[in-house]
Amino acid sequence: MEKPELLLPVGTREMLEAAIHNGADAVYFGVPHWNARGRTEDFSFEDVGEMIRYARIRGVRTFLAMNVLVFERELQSLPEFLEKIIALEPDAFIIQDIGLARLIRAIAPNQEIHASTQMTLASAEAVNLASQLGFNRAVLARELSLKQIAAIKEATPLELEVFIHGALCVSYSGQCLTSENFGGRSANRGQCAQSCRLPYRIFVDGKEFTKTDAQYLFSTRDLCALPRLEDMQEIGVNSLKVEGRLKSPEYVAAVSRAYRKALDFHNGTYSDVILDQAQRGRGSIQSNGNLMDPVRGQSPLQDDSNYMRAQDDGNKRAQDDGNYKRGQGDGNNRAQDDGNYKRGQDDGLCASDMEPLQVLFSRGLGTGWLDGVNHQELVDGTFSNHHGEFLGTVRRIDRSGISVTREFAEGEEPGDFAPPRPGDGILFENPEFGVSIGGRLYGVQQIGSGSDLRLEFGRELNQSQIALGMKVYRNDSPTLEKELRHTFTDRELAKRIPVNMVLFGKIGEPLRLTVYDNDGHKVQIESETAIEAARNVGGNRVAETAHKELSALSSSAYGLQSLDIQVDTSAFIPGKVLRTLRQNAIAELDKERCRWKELNPSATQGRAFLDKIRSDSDKAAKRPEISILVRNPQQIEALAGLDIDNVVMDFDWGVKYDESLAQIREYGFKAGMATLRIHKPGENHYLKNILRLSPDFALVRSLGALAILRENGIPLKGDYSLNAANSASYDWLLNLGLDTLHPSWDLNSTQLFDLLQNIDGRRMEIALHQYMPAFHSEYCAFARALTTGRRFPECGKICTQHKVEILDHKGERHFLQSDAECRNTLFVGKPQSALKLLPRLQQAGVNCFRIELLDEAPDAVRRKVQTYAQAIRGKIEIETAIRLAGVQEKYGLSEGQLFNESTWQDRKK
């Protein structure tokens, strides 16, 4: 099996060094001014160039994250910028925007590009369609189980990248508009407001529901895939990705170190970084047949037992029912573990490896969706911030200290834990009463077998506030951070590329030094002067001097693996000559290792591409086309006799379409069916139903659905979830067979009209009225809050029995609904109206308009649709329509992001 790449996040220069010197195979960081983590350090072009060079010399690949949506005006100004950044020669770009991917390919056809998880690629059909853009790799959606990842791998030639550690988004990446709606900041523009980490209150059928501990209803635990690494390698996952560009260098060091060690264990290899960190650079010397042994040392984080690979390499170990098994049932149906990482598994890790993963930053570690859906384990619900390592519960309190009873999962023992250290931060918490108290640890004792701890504190901790039964966490450790920092700041522990040297010389000829690494790079340097004979042959120490001068590589990226001295024994070689040879050879080897393929980026080619795809719009007035999206069959009857054209059905789980389809056609309207926003392996039944019923058109919401439906003859319209934000994205998607396409909701009115200048407005559809989707999630908040069910059908289909509203921190209510695959969407309570833009949209050539309903009763449906239809047809004034529409809404009417012209800036910067 091919060993997968270990990919680490970089938000600062120190994080780069922490990743490289602790075992990363590749790193990713943001492009200046363009990346999906707006709060990370914004590197300069010079910074980026130097970081790429630093990593490439050390054999580490660099990926530049440009994973945001690009607006039209920005796209038109990007060719020169991209030419400059591509010239820095990164290994690849990580891209979300379809148009940006096309532009990069136009500027540099040989530039490697990776499809970001922001593209919401969750099926082989979606991945293969994206491959037509020239992507070399797809970063899969986090919501996939191991079985689903395996199914995709078997059906696509593209490399696959999977997240293995770090924070989980509760919403599908690229489909979350919560920050946009709640905070005026777009997650698709690198400005996530972390709305999922806020507290929410639940209202069921109009009454507040308090019988739940899930105050933080949408805050997921963090991902830790250590128990599933071998499964991923067996599947053939090419790259294992760690989240965390906003974390600390010490965090990056700890995560890189643990996963490097586990991967090496599963592959039966010894990592230079983990096992031999203080030994590197001490090569053997062969001088005319004499061999000298290198000096040995030990890493400060290496445990005393010295990590040795067990004879059972883990490939033959028994797996519990929660682990992926080839050829067996879907992860959604099989038994699961509790989702928390358990120490003591056959992964080669010890307590000191796992300790920092929890202490430095953790909201509780679990395997996320890799083992299938488990709503109860995915979200703890009692907190949303860093809590660290769970130690146990308070058993006894007295004047001398606090006794804590440790809690062990099945298969765990006291020896599987690293005990707290003096100076560590300890958190006591009672989530039921909202009590949190913390203090620094002065002393610690393990009681008995280690199942209990006695913690001692200074006077600054008010022990009177601590009660029996409180949960205890360790969430900070200065000692641990210092040790981890040592791994990437101590030159003796730096990653070294092994090099071999051959020193050759004859008296009367120049001295020649050949240096080569194990990757095929080789350089040869000659001295400027010829070698002279030594005057005192008996005192000649060529071998000793040569080793001393040529092994002095601590300021470089290299360590001497072997030195072969082939020099006349009577030769005299000054140390200065050897130093100069070494310095020049290392400089040349750096150049060789940095040598890159010819890319020849051309901004001119980029501009030619943009000019080619530009379209003009026919501004001649045409009869507007009005579509109504309904979410239950009862709303259809209210549309009878209204001046509309199309009705789109978007029904919940289990609702039949046959009768509704016939009813819509009976009323004289064209009938459409909306696909789901997500398409995953094994979910073609919904699309087959569309093909069976053969509606007049389908509203396509995912690349997977587009790939399947485009060849079947049904007219297609594209929705906002395809995230078309510029003319290059529009051009590609429309050419795949879409008749019209709704733009991304990330655009405000200025950006929308910029786009309309370069596309045919007749092929744009705009929703003039809709409830904006916030979260769109595989996680079911209905099941988590209202039941104990882990997944369907354990939940009892609770979503079909109650009307649930969510109250946010601003006191506004929002509607929670599920779709046909049990995925949840939180719809913003105030619908958004774009009626003010109607005249300008029509002047720009737009004549396809949509009104989206949610759960309105039939009488409200009729009044609302009639108001909008009359405004679109020009039968009532826009101001009158806005007033009438606002009166009809339960929680008022909003203009939403369309009229937001502000630009968010991070105050911390």
Side-chain angles (χ1 to χ4, degrees):
M1 292 183 292
E2 183 180 346
K3 194 173 182 179
E5 165 190 277
L6 180 58
L7 175 59
L8 271 292
V10 167
T12 65
R13 175 58 188 254
E14 277 197 329
M15 291 171 72
L16 174 74
E17 295 172 5
I20 289 175
H21 296 304
N22 282 280
D25 298 308
V27 295
Y28 65 101
F29 49 93
V31 171
H33 319 301
W34 294 92
N35 74 86
R37 290 294 179 271
R39 289 179 287 151
T40 59
E41 181 179 323
D42 213 355
F43 301 118
S44 67
F45 278 87
E46 292 73 20
D47 293 335
V48 172
E50 171 53 32
M51 291 166 75
I52 291 171
R53 182 178 182 275
Y54 183 89
R56 184 161 292 149
I57 288 172
R58 289 158 179 81
V60 174
R61 302 184 74 200
T62 52
F63 307 147
L64 297 187
M66 207 169 175
N67 47 337
V68 293
L69 294 184
V70 179
F71 302 140
E72 184 65 19
R73 194 176 301 180
E74 297 167 338
L75 187 76
Q76 298 299 327
S77 66
L78 270 176
E80 288 74 21
F81 176 91
L82 289 172
E83 179 184 80
K84 185 177 178 181
I85 200 75
I86 292 171
L88 298 177
E89 300 179 342
D91 288 81
F93 285 85
I94 303 172
I95 303 297
Q96 173 187 11
D97 191 276
I98 289 170
L100 177 59
R102 298 183 73 198
L103 181 57
I104 289 176
R105 279 295 194 180
I107 291 170
N110 294 323
Q111 175 62 60
E112 185 173 328
I113 54 175
H114 298 171
S116 168
T117 190
Q118 294 283 119
M119 288 190 71
T120 325
L121 301 178
S123 69
E125 291 86 352
V127 170
N128 290 333
L129 188 61
S131 71
Q132 297 180 20
L133 289 161
F135 284 111
N136 307 88
R137 175 186 292 184
V139 187
L140 296 180
R142 294 175 175 92
E143 290 79 1
L144 294 166
S145 69
L146 286 168
K147 182 184 177 181
Q148 290 165 339
I149 294 170
I152 295 172
K153 182 63 180 177
E154 290 171 358
T156 180
L158 251 63
E159 291 185 1
L160 297 184
E161 184 172 300
V162 174
F163 278 93
I164 57 167
H165 198 91
L168 285 173
C169 298
V170 74
S171 183
Y172 274 91
S173 294
Q175 301 299 315
C176 184
L177 294 170
T178 315
S179 294
E180 183 95 11
N181 288 302
F182 293 179
R185 299 157 43 177
S186 171
N188 284 329
R189 296 281 290 173
Q191 300 162 0
C192 176
Q194 299 277 298
S195 301
C196 55
R197 306 300 178 185
L198 297 173
Y200 293 90
R201 291 160 63 188
I202 307 168
F203 287 77
V204 178
D205 300 327
K207 296 181 180 179
E208 184 168 9
F209 183 78
T210 58
K211 298 177 181 179
T212 179
D213 62 350
Q215 181 185 11
Y216 296 93
L217 184 59
F218 300 103
S219 182
T220 55
R221 297 176 189 262
D222 291 342
L223 173 65
C224 177
L226 278 167
R228 305 295 178 256
L229 284 190
E230 193 173 6
D231 299 324
M232 289 197 201
Q233 186 168 350
E234 181 185 353
I235 289 168
V237 173
N238 303 93
S239 181
L240 306 174
K241 186 172 192 173
V242 175
E243 178 276 339
R245 279 189 277 160
L246 294 174
K247 303 294 199 314
S248 69
E250 292 81 6
Y251 172 90
V252 169
V255 176
S256 180
R257 188 178 195 82
Y259 280 87
R260 175 82 280 143
K261 187 172 179 179
L263 283 170
D264 290 347
F265 176 83
H266 291 313
N267 286 277
T269 57
Y270 292 85
S271 168
D272 283 345
V273 173
I274 304 303
L275 304 182
D276 216 13
Q277 201 166 34
Q279 300 172 18
R280 293 190 296 272
R282 311 294 205 279
S284 63
I285 311 161
Q286 188 171 347
S287 176
N288 300 323
N290 295 321
L291 187 67
M292 299 176 63
D293 292 329
V295 178
R296 298 280 176 181
Q298 188 177 8
S299 163
L301 283 184
Q302 192 174 335
D303 57 9
D304 292 338
S305 61
N306 289 322
Y307 164 67
M308 295 182 64
R309 180 163 167 69
Q311 290 187 2
D312 178 2
D313 63 3
N315 290 322
K316 301 177 182 178
R317 72 179 188 273
Q319 294 180 310
D320 61 30
D321 290 337
N323 282 334
Y324 164 79
K325 296 170 185 172
R326 284 280 183 138
Q328 297 200 10
D330 191 340
N332 291 329
N333 298 318
R334 64 179 179 263
Q336 295 183 322
D337 59 28
D338 64 5
N340 290 316
Y341 177 78
K342 298 179 178 64
R343 291 177 181 156
Q345 300 186 50
D346 192 8
D347 54 15
L349 298 177
C350 58
S352 62
D353 298 311
M354 283 303 301
E355 178 188 16
L357 302 192
Q358 301 186 78
V359 175
L360 295 189
F361 195 95
S362 168
R363 299 181 182 94
L365 299 179
T367 53
W369 283 280
L370 293 175
D371 293 324
V373 174
N374 188 331
H375 306 302
Q376 303 301 329
E377 287 298 329
L378 186 70
V379 169
D380 178 278
T382 62
F383 61 84
S384 67
N385 56 355
H386 165 54
H387 268 49
E389 180 187 31
F390 179 58
L391 296 180
T393 56
V394 175
R395 180 177 61 85
R396 180 180 177 182
I397 306 167
D398 56 40
R399 300 180 70 178
S400 61
I402 299 169
S403 296
V404 174
T405 297
R406 305 291 294 267
E407 297 184 12
F408 301 99
E410 184 179 352
E412 292 178 334
E413 300 177 357
D416 294 329
F417 287 85
R421 320 176 191 199
D424 287 357
I426 305 296
L427 172 69
F428 298 89
E429 188 166 82
N430 186 330
E432 183 179 356
F433 298 103
V435 179
S436 293
I437 306 161
R440 290 283 174 194
L441 188 63
Y442 272 41
V444 59
Q445 292 180 340
Q446 288 187 278
I447 303 173
S449 63
S451 58
D452 284 1
L453 296 174
R454 183 164 185 78
L455 308 180
E456 300 172 3
F457 297 89
R459 293 181 179 179
E460 67 274 7
L461 180 68
N462 185 356
Q463 293 190 187
S464 64
Q465 295 180 294
I466 298 172
L468 297 179
M470 290 182 78
K471 294 183 177 181
V472 186
Y473 300 85
R474 177 167 63 131
N475 62 2
D476 179 48
S477 179
T479 302
L480 184 58
E481 289 189 17
K482 184 177 180 181
E483 291 176 355
L484 285 163
R485 189 168 189 79
H486 194 56
T487 66
F488 59 89
T489 57
D490 188 336
R491 183 180 289 184
E492 289 298 312
L493 302 181
K495 175 179 180 177
R496 301 287 177 188
I497 303 299
V499 292
N500 307 285
M501 295 185 180
V502 178
L503 186 66
F504 180 86
K506 291 183 178 181
I507 295 173
E509 297 180 4
L511 184 64
R512 187 167 67 241
L513 176 63
T514 302
V515 181
Y516 60 96
D517 59 26
N518 298 332
D519 301 314
H521 304 101
K522 185 176 182 179
V523 297
Q524 193 173 85
I525 301 293
E526 290 188 351
S527 63
E528 295 180 355
T529 59
I531 301 173
E532 297 179 359
R535 296 177 182 177
N536 183 6
V537 177
N540 190 8
R541 304 171 67 182
V542 172
E544 182 180 340
T545 303
H547 177 255
K548 176 183 176 183
E549 296 295 345
L550 297 181
S551 66
L553 299 170
S554 62
S555 61
S556 74
Y558 309 102
L560 184 60
Q561 180 170 266
S562 68
L563 172 60
D564 184 5
I565 301 174
Q566 301 176 18
V567 179
D568 284 349
T569 55
S570 59
F572 171 70
I573 304 176
K576 183 178 180 181
V577 172
L578 291 167
R579 283 195 298 275
T580 301
L581 281 178
R582 183 200 73 222
Q583 292 165 356
N584 293 340
I586 292 305
E588 288 302 311
L589 187 58
D590 282 350
K591 290 178 183 178
E592 281 297 309
R593 291 184 64 85
C594 285
R595 197 178 299 279
W596 196 234
K597 59 188 176 184
E598 290 292 331
L599 293 173
N600 299 317
S602 169
T604 301
Q605 292 176 191
R607 294 229 157 271
F609 162 74
L610 294 176
D611 291 339
K612 181 180 178 180
I613 64 170
R614 188 174 286 114
S615 299
D616 293 324
S617 180
D618 183 357
K619 304 297 193 299
K622 295 184 178 180
R623 185 179 188 276
E625 180 180 288
I626 302 174
S627 300
I628 310 300
L629 185 142
V630 297
R631 288 194 164 92
N632 64 66
Q634 292 73 36
Q635 295 172 331
I636 297 172
E637 186 175 350
L639 303 176
L642 294 181
D643 190 6
I644 61 173
D645 302 284
N646 309 316
V647 178
V648 185
M649 295 172 285
D650 184 16
F651 296 159
D652 198 352
W653 181 87
V655 180
K656 301 292 185 181
Y657 281 80
D658 308 59
E659 293 182 5
S660 296
L661 183 67
Q663 184 181 17
I664 291 168
R665 286 172 171 167
E666 183 182 330
Y667 289 160
F669 310 135
K670 287 185 177 180
M673 293 176 65
T675 73
L676 303 179
R677 283 169 70 183
I678 304 300
H679 177 249
K680 296 173 73 174
E683 293 184 356
N684 287 351
H685 49 275
Y686 190 85
L687 299 175
K688 289 178 181 177
N689 194 39
I690 292 177
L691 296 175
R692 178 183 67 83
L693 293 172
S694 190
D696 298 301
F697 64 93
L699 181 63
V700 178
R701 290 172 166 168
S702 73
L703 290 179
L706 178 57
I708 292 173
L709 295 178
R710 62 189 288 248
E711 303 295 342
N712 286 280
I714 297 176
L716 304 177
K717 300 175 183 289
D719 211 354
Y720 64 87
S721 50
L722 295 175
N723 276 331
N726 55 63
S727 57
S729 297
Y730 252 80
D731 176 75
W732 189 75
L733 289 165
L734 291 174
N735 283 330
L736 287 176
L738 298 177
D739 295 331
T740 61
L741 177 58
H742 195 294
S744 165
W745 277 123
D746 286 275
L747 277 67
N748 62 25
S749 58
T750 299
Q751 294 147 357
L752 179 64
F753 287 107
D754 285 344
L755 173 59
L756 281 166
Q757 289 180 8
N758 291 327
I759 67 169
D760 185 350
R762 294 170 299 176
R763 302 191 69 181
M764 176 184 282
E765 182 180 27
I766 284 288
L768 291 180
H769 180 100
Q770 77 150 2
Y771 294 84
M772 290 289 287
F775 299 121
H776 185 66
S777 180
E778 193 74 22
Y779 158 74
C780 182
F782 290 97
R784 171 62 182 87
L786 307 183
T787 78
T788 58
R790 297 172 298 173
R791 63 187 72 85
F792 175 84
E794 294 177 13
C795 61
K797 296 188 289 186
I798 192 72
C799 58
T800 64
Q801 302 170 32
H802 300 282
K803 180 179 178 180
V804 174
E805 295 176 312
I806 304 297
L807 185 73
D808 69 17
H809 62 291
K810 296 180 179 178
E812 298 180 356
R813 292 198 190 190
H814 312 288
F815 305 108
L816 188 67
Q817 289 204 352
S818 61
D819 70 10
E821 288 291 346
C822 295
R823 297 183 186 106
N824 283 191
T825 303
L826 184 67
F827 289 97
V828 177
K830 282 185 180 180
Q832 173 178 293
S833 175
L835 274 171
K836 276 187 179 180
L837 296 180
L838 179 59
R840 287 185 64 194
L841 288 168
Q842 291 176 321
Q843 291 169 10
V846 180
N847 70 321
C848 295
F849 302 101
R850 192 193 311 165
I851 292 93
E852 294 196 0
L853 306 173
L854 192 60
D855 63 349
E856 294 92 335
D859 58 338
V861 168
R862 191 168 185 84
R863 289 195 305 269
K864 181 179 296 186
V865 172
Q866 190 167 31
T867 297
Y868 276 87
Q870 289 177 335
I872 294 169
R873 302 289 187 216
K875 295 180 179 179
I876 62 174
E877 298 292 330
I878 297 299
E879 291 75 13
T880 302
I882 293 173
R883 178 176 55 80
L884 291 174
V887 169
Q888 294 166 9
E889 295 303 332
K890 180 178 180 181
Y891 296 129
L893 193 65
S894 166
E895 293 181 341
Q897 182 65 12
L898 279 170
F899 295 89
N900 181 10
E901 298 291 338
S902 62
T903 301
W904 176 78
Q905 290 184 330
D906 183 9
R907 287 178 293 177
K908 293 181 180 179
K909 286 188 176 181

